[in-house]
Amino acid sequence: MADSARGPGIPDHRSAGRYVWWLVVSQRGRVAAGATYGSLWMVGLMLPPYVLSRAIDEGLVPGRMPVLLGWVAVLFGVGVANAWLAVMRHRTMTRIRMDATFRTVRAIVAHTLRLGAALPRKVTAGEVVTIGIGDVAVISQTLTMTGPGVGGVLAYGVVAVLLLTVSPLLAGVVLLGVPLLALLVGPLLGRLQGAEARYRERQSGLAARLTDLVGGLRVLNGLGGKEVFADRYRRESRALRGEGYRVGAVTSWVQALGVGLPTLFLAAVTWLAARMAAQGAITVGELVAVYGYAAALVVPVSFFIEGGYDLTRGLVAARRVVRFLRLEPDTADGAGDAPGDAPEAAAVLCDPASGVQVVPGLLTALAAARPGESAAVVDRLGRFADSAATWGAVRLDEIALPQVRDRILVADNEAELFAGTLREVVSGRRDRTEEAIGRAVRTALAEDIVRGLPDGLDSAVEAQGGNLSGGQRQRLRLVRALLADPEVLLAVEPTSAVDAHTEAGIAARLHDARAGRTTVVTSTSPLLLDRADRVYFLVGGRAVAVGSHRQLLDEQPGYRRLVARGEDEDGADESGTGESSEDVTGTTDGADPRPEPPVTKEDA
């Protein structure tokens, strides 16, 4: 596993077969060792029948006890050697499977990171889950055939040579019978590949459906659509079960033939050899040897059939992995091969499509009746969408992407919250000092979250913040963005899930905490807009006015109506106390006041 730990390498995703071959050559030394152990072990299985026949013919003679004991000692030594080879073969093949598993997982994770925000638009969560849980294991199992598979071919040749010394007729039966067994199973493997492909496709679709159902459970409850969605899931589950039965039917025949055909073959060879022994054509010892050879051949024949079965399933799984690895990032979210450099000093960010210009060092707000319009501006300024946006005198898409990501951070309300301690969740990729965490927590008005959890910053947070309310999750995302301390922070609706009292505190503290740093927020809340240095009023995605919040209130009736609606939505609670609607643990009653944007880009 040390090989895969250093890096997965560059996977060959030109085809499913090439991908499986890449997994083989990526650990060629270990595969060669596994093939060697497997071959020696498989050939070793053919030696006991020969030794036993010699012991019978030469040792079971009066007065030749030393000869018998000598052959018994040889038989014991062969057994010990075979046992050791079997152990080493199994250990080596286990390492091969694990390396292939880790290598595929790392390749998928690396490509997921390259896709970035384009991932949800190109593949469903269910597809990724199915690949990571099911397909990876199936592909790694396919590599098992590199050991016993090679050994089976060699064992087949060794038996043929040994049988030629006994009887050309028996050798011919064995040499022709083994390929015939493989041909009988071949058509079933073709059917299995088609059934497996259909099953995997339905499985990924059902996993995606389940992910959507769990993720939107609260919304579905509110709309009364939970039962409709659940009925649809049941229907698809029944269809998947039907596909599973079809796969199981073919698989059962493959496995039954894998056991039954070699057994019938063994019976036929034994019957023929017994008749030849009765006629005196071969000795009793040779009869025993022929039986032993045929019985030992059951093992490689079974491996041939199982190997074909594993290869069929592995190619189906590899085809899905290859399809995922072929996905290309969006142009604006690509690998970052642009040759240009970002401005050395703080510079104006300009979005020609909307007319928005973000002046360095100021808190700029974007207000639009349709939240998607202001979010689109942020996408362009953060280089998450193709545009002619510029940074200083340079187009954003001409700047190396790593430089953009290092200095410009887009924070939205669907950014992932991974499982871990609260400290790990807000710290992101780097360790943060207690003082830095404390400042960010205070700025986001998240002290009550830390106090409400049993172990403070060391308390466990579930994946996606499952044990937190919507307002708490939003404030923790803001804490993480502030801790990243980017040169330019672009925040999409950073206070949409909190009450007015909390929002007023965040607005005041955010302005102070980001003083001298470039910050852009999208919002229609007057509490946040009033703290902004500049406000852009967007209509139809274009800036129709710019100024302070007070100026726009006086000069723009449309802005005034928009803000008045925001005041209705964000006003104090019904009791008029102005207190937070969250309790001491930050849990809100009911749904979040406004929906959260759908695309994740924050990576603090």
Side-chain angles (χ1 to χ4, degrees):
M1 275 52 67
D3 296 343
S4 61
R6 286 193 294 268
I10 301 176
D12 188 344
H13 53 69
R14 288 176 290 179
S15 68
R18 288 179 182 273
Y19 181 80
V20 173
W21 180 246
W22 171 74
L23 291 176
V24 172
V25 299
S26 295
Q27 45 176 333
R28 56 176 63 89
R30 190 178 290 123
V31 169
T36 301
Y37 287 129
S39 300
L40 292 175
W41 170 69
M42 198 75 78
V43 172
L45 294 178
M46 309 303 155
L47 295 180
Y50 173 78
V51 175
L52 188 59
S53 69
R54 303 300 298 173
I56 291 174
D57 288 342
E58 298 179 10
L60 295 182
V61 177
R64 303 197 67 180
M65 181 60 70
V67 176
L68 178 61
L69 293 176
W71 282 115
V72 170
V74 172
L75 185 61
F76 178 77
V78 170
V80 172
N82 280 347
W84 181 82
L85 288 171
V87 171
M88 297 305 297
R89 177 195 65 83
H90 182 74
R91 287 182 177 179
T92 305
M93 299 314 299
T94 299
R95 291 191 178 98
I96 290 173
R97 289 194 299 269
M98 293 179 67
D99 184 278
T101 297
F102 295 145
R103 198 175 296 275
T104 299
V105 168
R106 289 173 66 87
I108 291 173
V109 171
H111 193 61
T112 299
L113 295 176
R114 283 193 291 271
L115 290 173
L119 178 64
R121 298 192 292 271
K122 294 179 177 292
V123 65
T124 65
E127 179 82 2
V128 178
V129 170
T130 303
I131 291 174
I133 295 178
D135 293 334
V136 169
V138 172
I139 294 172
S140 62
Q141 181 65 31
T142 303
L143 269 66
T144 301
M145 62 184 299
T146 59
V150 176
V153 175
L154 293 178
Y156 175 70
V158 170
V159 168
V161 172
L162 292 174
L163 283 176
L164 282 172
T165 64
V166 175
S167 168
L169 175 61
L170 289 172
V173 170
V174 173
L175 289 176
L176 294 175
V178 172
L180 181 61
L181 297 180
L183 290 176
L184 290 174
V185 181
L188 286 176
L189 295 179
R191 288 186 59 189
L192 177 64
Q193 187 168 9
E196 277 278 347
R198 291 190 296 272
Y199 177 80
R200 291 290 178 182
E201 291 299 328
R202 282 191 176 275
Q203 187 181 40
S204 65
L206 189 64
R209 183 77 66 188
L210 180 60
T211 302
D212 293 341
L213 178 62
V214 174
L217 190 59
R218 184 173 64 180
V219 177
L220 289 172
N221 274 330
L223 297 175
K226 184 176 68 172
E227 287 303 322
V228 175
F229 210 99
D231 287 341
R232 188 179 303 170
Y233 178 83
R234 293 189 192 100
R235 288 196 300 270
E236 294 184 11
S237 180
R238 285 193 292 268
L240 177 64
R241 182 181 60 190
E243 292 291 347
Y245 285 157
R246 282 186 279 275
V247 172
V250 180
T251 301
S252 64
W253 276 105
V254 172
Q255 294 178 343
L257 293 176
V259 175
L261 289 180
T263 303
L264 293 175
F265 175 70
L266 170 61
V269 172
T270 304
W271 177 81
L272 180 60
R275 287 185 59 85
M276 295 178 69
Q279 296 169 357
I282 59 176
T283 67
V284 175
E286 289 173 333
L287 170 62
V288 173
V290 170
Y291 173 81
Y293 296 148
L297 270 180
V298 170
V299 177
V301 170
S302 297
F303 271 121
F304 287 150
I305 296 175
E306 291 178 7
Y309 168 68
D310 289 338
L311 180 60
T312 298
R313 298 177 69 235
L315 290 176
V316 172
R319 196 172 297 124
R320 292 163 55 81
V321 172
V322 165
R323 185 171 60 192
F324 177 79
L325 294 177
R326 285 177 177 171
L327 297 176
E328 294 292 337
D330 292 340
T331 304
D333 198 31
D337 54 358
D341 290 325
E344 294 185 3
V348 174
L349 270 172
C350 179
D351 174 37
S354 63
V356 171
Q357 292 189 2
V358 179
V359 178
L362 299 183
L363 173 59
T364 302
L366 308 179
R370 297 177 180 177
E373 295 175 357
S374 54
V377 176
V378 169
D379 283 346
R380 294 192 291 268
L381 293 177
R383 196 175 155 185
F384 282 98
D386 294 331
S387 72
T390 59
W391 194 3
V394 186
R395 280 178 57 120
L396 267 178
D397 55 11
E398 295 178 354
I399 300 173
L401 187 60
Q403 295 186 35
V404 176
R405 295 288 177 260
D406 284 342
R407 297 173 61 182
I408 300 177
L409 173 64
V410 176
D412 65 32
N413 287 323
E414 284 296 324
E416 297 290 338
L417 290 178
F418 297 101
T421 65
L422 181 59
R423 186 189 309 276
E424 293 169 340
V425 169
V426 299
S427 295
R429 294 176 295 177
R430 303 181 181 89
D431 292 333
R432 311 292 182 178
T433 64
E434 293 286 341
E435 293 77 12
I437 295 176
R439 287 194 300 269
V441 167
R442 284 190 295 274
T443 300
L445 234 68
E447 299 101 320
D448 63 303
I449 303 176
V450 179
R451 290 193 305 266
L453 292 173
D455 299 315
L457 290 173
D458 296 318
S459 300
V461 175
E462 298 177 2
Q464 300 298 331
N467 56 336
L468 302 172
S469 71
Q472 289 175 323
R473 292 194 295 271
Q474 185 175 58
R475 284 183 286 159
L476 290 184
R477 291 185 179 103
L478 180 57
V479 171
R480 185 170 59 183
L482 292 170
L483 276 173
D485 195 26
E487 178 182 328
V488 179
L489 173 61
L490 309 177
V492 179
E493 300 287 346
T495 60
S496 61
V498 299
D499 60 83
H501 176 77
T502 305
E503 185 174 39
I506 292 176
R509 296 182 185 186
L510 178 63
H511 185 276
D512 294 338
R514 293 286 299 173
R517 310 283 277 174
T518 306
T519 307
V520 176
V521 297
T522 70
S523 179
T524 57
S525 168
L527 297 172
L528 198 56
L529 296 172
D530 190 43
R531 290 287 182 171
D533 298 307
R534 302 181 76 188
V535 179
Y536 279 91
F537 177 39
L538 305 179
V539 176
R542 293 284 304 177
V544 296
V546 58
S548 69
H549 172 61
R550 301 295 177 181
Q551 289 174 332
L552 294 180
L553 284 176
D554 294 337
E555 301 170 2
Q556 296 292 326
Y559 179 81
R560 191 161 52 247
R561 287 193 297 271
L562 175 64
V563 171
R565 186 177 65 183
E567 286 178 337
D568 293 338
E569 294 175 350
D570 295 335
D573 57 33
E574 294 180 1
S575 65
T577 60
E579 296 178 355
S580 172
S581 62
E582 299 184 2
D583 58 23
V584 292
T585 61
T587 303
T588 58
D589 295 324
D592 295 342
R594 273 172 276 172
E596 299 177 340
V599 180
T600 299
K601 298 180 211 58
E602 180 181 350
D603 183 18

